Amino acid sequence: DQQVKQNSPSLSVQEGRISILNCDYTNSMFDYFLWYKKYPAEGPTFLISISSIKDKNEDGRFTVFLNKSAKHLSLHIVPSQPGDSAVYFCAPGGRGSTLGRLYFGRGTQLTVWP
Amino acid sequence: DGGITQSPKYLFRKEGQNVTLSCEQNLNHDAMYWYRQDPGQGLRLIYYSQIVNDFQKGDIAEGYSVSREKKESFPLTVTSAQKNPTAFYLCASSIAVTSTDTQYFGPGTRLTVL
């Protein structure tokens, strides 16, 4: 039972354009959402997070939007750069039985071409 | 230089042998985690530990064992009972096991069972 879904396995974007990566979740106990970036054969690195009390968090070129009613979040990268090419994982965590746990989606492979 | 180290980077074992993967952190984090990643999959939680001498099963603990005798170390043993041990194994740590504490990952160990 997948609680976190990243329905696009891959995304290809031209350098300088916007990249939008989407994530849907089913568990209403999730109240904190993290995005990780991963290069092949390396561990994921933390990118940006958002709490459920917010609907937007921005950090440089990266912005995460949260729509709690739709149980949907998205990561926007503007402008996209070739170095952004990696797999991006959405990883929510939350209260109650999910406390302390992160649940990872399957990831979206982003390719930024010149 | 603070961080998480995993060794070795690549590990080969014969079927039927137990193998132990190392994970060490000098971040003074209380919580540590083991994940497994398979191609096209997200990260799946094997075991986690909130404090020394304590650990809990994750979603796919069967065929694995852990110990937490020191705060800095959380070794994972892949036993011969694990049916599909070939995978990329990732260790992570966080300040504590809460939904808002970012998990930081090591570089991973690629285990291949022949």
Side-chain angles (χ1 to χ4, degrees), chain A residues 53-92:
Chain A
I53 63 173
K54 295 185 174 182
D55 55 17
K56 177 183 174 181
N57 188 29
E58 194 171 351
D59 184 2
R61 297 186 297 114
F62 302 90
T63 302
V64 56
F65 296 91
L66 175 62
N67 182 333
K68 282 184 63 180
S69 60
K71 293 189 176 69
H72 175 85
L73 62 157
S74 61
L75 174 68
H76 293 211
I77 307 173
V78 181
S80 301
Q81 299 173 354
D84 296 330
S85 297
V87 177
Y88 289 79
F89 291 100
C90 168

Side-chain angles (χ1 to χ4, degrees), chain B residues 3-54:
Chain B
I4 301 174
T5 56
Q6 291 185 245
S7 60
K9 181 75 173 173
Y10 299 95
L11 191 54
F12 296 88
R13 279 295 182 269
K14 291 184 178 178
E15 194 172 343
Q17 289 181 336
N18 291 356
V19 59
T20 297
L21 282 60
S22 166
C23 177
E24 304 276 332
Q25 55 99 359
N26 60 4
L27 300 168
N28 201 32
H29 286 172
D30 282 322
M32 296 187 75
Y33 310 79
W34 273 105
Y35 291 89
R36 167 183 172 140
Q37 187 189 19
D38 295 281
Q41 301 286 325
L43 278 64
R44 293 184 292 168
L45 183 66
I46 304 172
Y47 268 98
Y48 64 103
S49 168
Q50 299 185 69
I51 200 166
V52 174
N53 293 322
D54 179 71

